[in-house]
């Protein structure tokens, strides 16, 4: 009997050891991955090439949003599959983001995102030098501030419908980012000129003035931008040393499209010189949401 009990106990111990060994990857899809201070969800394409550096697009939801809902958006997952990258939906604490001028500060977001990046790299082998951070609305506010804190935290940034809040930073302590911003001309939730909230206690910042923070820091003239059209977007781009600043406007309101994030990834890949993401996946970039050929300053198409 003692030998039987020992055998059962040994088997249980072995199973616990195996579970612990695989604990690092026991998440994904609609099962959250947890880190100190929060969680994220990740989708990895089933046919991701082993020989290709594993990249990832991170996405930040809007106010009161849920990362679980974002990992269920078919257009986001299809985008990741087409580009051959992971898609990571990060959860804001209590559905909000604690950027420096936010109404609520619930955690140190800069340290939290460092932990998320480290965890995604350790668990899933994502390359830190193949990452794009995209965010919508409140998630875009957070995206701007993460770029301002350390442009090298992510390889590039794609905020949609959100910029700095007042008071805007006088400058950012880091170098120029690769930043591709999309905004609706008729957006009333986050207007281009910003708006007051909480009876004037807080104020969303002006998008153009947010760009001025970077332009002034780089001593780049606003009039030096190149202008072009990409599908339904009217864009202007500045090319300061060591970075890219792009503002693209559409005629709609407060909205986000996977196609805009996909395009930002391809523009980032071209600017960063990632051949594995500018050749094999060029077709995924050269069509807009209506299947029309897109014009691009990068020369990918």
């Amino acid at each position: 009997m003692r030998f039987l009990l020992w055998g059962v106990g040994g088997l249980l111990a072995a199973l616990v050891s195996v579970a612990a060994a695989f604990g690092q990857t026991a998440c994904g899809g609609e099962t959250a991955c947890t880190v100190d201070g929060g969680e994220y969800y990740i989708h990895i394409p089933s046919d991701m090439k082993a020989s290709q550096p594993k990249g990832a697009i991170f996405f930040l939801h809007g106010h009161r949003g849920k990362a679980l809902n974002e990992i269920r958006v078919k257009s986001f997952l299809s985008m990741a599959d087409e580009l051959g990258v992971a898609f990571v939906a990060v959860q804001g604490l209590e559905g909000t983001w604690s950027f420096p001028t936010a109404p609520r500060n619930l955690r140190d977001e800069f340290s939290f995102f460092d932990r998320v990046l480290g965890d995604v790299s350790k668990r899933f082998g994502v390359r830190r030098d193949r990452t794009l951070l995209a965010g919508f609305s409140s998630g875009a506010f957070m995206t701007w501030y993460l770029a301002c804190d350390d442009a090298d935290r992510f390889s590039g940034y794609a905020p949609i419908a959100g910029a700095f809040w007042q008071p805007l930073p006088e400058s950012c302590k880091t170098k120029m980012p690769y930043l591709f911003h999309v905004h609706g001309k008729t957006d009333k939730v986050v207007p281009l000129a910003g708006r007051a909230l909480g009876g004037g206690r807080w104020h969303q910042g002006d998008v153009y003035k947010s760009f001025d923070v970077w332009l002034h820091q780089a001593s780049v003239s606003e009039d030096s931008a190149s202008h072009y059209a990409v599908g339904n977007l009217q864009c202007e781009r500045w090319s300061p040393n060591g970075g890219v600043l792009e503002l693209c406007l559409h005629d709609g309101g407060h909205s986000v499209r996977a196609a805009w994030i996909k395009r930002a990834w391809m523009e980032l890949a071209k600017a960063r010189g990632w051949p594995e993401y500018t050749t094999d996946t060029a077709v995924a970039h050269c069509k807009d949401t209506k299947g029309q050929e897109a014009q691009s300053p990068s020369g990918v198409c």
Side-chain angles (χ1 to χ4, degrees):
M1 179 63 73
R2 283 188 301 171
F3 290 107
L4 178 60
L5 290 175
W6 182 90
V8 173
L11 178 60
L12 288 175
L15 290 173
V16 170
S17 297
V18 170
F22 285 91
Q24 283 191 332
T25 56
C27 64
E30 295 186 11
T31 301
C33 300
T34 60
V35 297
D36 184 19
E39 61 184 23
Y40 65 88
Y41 296 82
I42 186 169
H43 164 80
I44 297 180
S46 58
D47 59 348
M48 182 178 286
K49 296 181 180 179
S51 60
Q52 182 169 288
K54 188 178 291 185
I57 294 174
F58 293 72
F59 184 80
L60 309 185
H61 59 73
H63 183 56
R64 294 180 181 176
K66 292 184 178 180
L68 179 58
N69 293 337
E70 308 301 345
I71 206 69
R72 292 170 172 170
V73 176
K74 292 182 179 180
S75 61
F76 288 161
L77 304 187
S78 295
M79 168 191 68
D81 291 344
E82 289 179 32
L83 294 175
V85 302
F87 179 77
V88 182
V90 186
Q91 180 61 49
L93 199 58
E94 297 185 14
T96 190
W97 302 104
S98 300
F99 48 90
T101 52
R104 303 173 68 195
N105 282 279
L106 304 179
R107 71 182 170 199
D108 181 343
E109 299 286 18
F110 301 142
S111 296
F112 170 68
F113 276 92
D114 288 338
R115 290 193 294 274
V116 169
L117 279 162
D119 197 68
V120 171
S121 176
K122 183 178 180 180
R123 288 185 198 245
F124 302 101
V126 167
R127 288 268 296 269
R128 294 287 295 268
D129 62 349
R130 294 292 191 280
T131 57
L132 173 71
L133 176 65
F136 173 61
S137 194
S138 181
F141 302 147
M142 190 69 249
T143 300
W144 271 80
Y145 282 100
L146 283 162
C148 187
D149 177 71
D150 182 0
D152 282 335
R153 179 173 278 113
F154 292 87
S155 305
Y157 300 84
I160 299 171
F164 290 134
W165 276 37
Q166 293 184 8
L168 275 64
E170 294 183 5
S171 64
C172 295
K173 63 182 182 181
T174 185
K175 65 181 185 181
M176 290 295 106
Y178 291 79
L179 188 144
F180 307 88
H181 182 102
V182 176
H183 215 107
K185 296 178 182 178
T186 59
D187 193 332
K188 295 181 179 179
V189 178
V190 184
L192 281 165
R195 69 184 178 107
L197 298 171
R201 295 175 61 191
W202 305 285
H203 206 294
Q204 298 168 352
D206 185 293
V207 172
Y208 295 104
K209 292 180 180 178
S210 294
F211 269 94
D212 284 343
V213 171
W214 289 112
L215 295 174
H216 293 163
Q217 182 169 327
S219 299
V220 173
S221 170
E222 294 181 25
D223 298 330
S224 64
S226 57
H227 297 262
Y228 46 90
V230 183
N232 67 329
L233 301 175
Q234 300 85 47
C235 304
E236 51 185 325
R237 175 183 288 195
W238 300 266
S239 299
N241 289 333
V244 171
L245 300 172
E246 181 183 76
L247 171 61
C248 291
L249 303 179
H250 59 89
D251 293 330
H254 198 62
S255 61
V256 58
R257 294 185 184 180
W260 298 335
I261 302 173
K262 182 194 300 183
R263 176 183 172 275
W265 174 267
M266 292 305 303
E267 291 296 328
L268 175 63
K270 180 65 176 180
R272 287 285 194 177
W274 301 340
E276 68 276 5
Y277 288 114
T278 56
T279 53
D280 295 342
T281 58
V283 173
H285 169 61
C286 292
K287 300 286 185 179
D288 66 13
T289 54
K290 296 181 180 179
Q292 299 171 331
E293 293 293 338
Q295 300 300 314
S296 167
S298 69
V300 172
C301 302

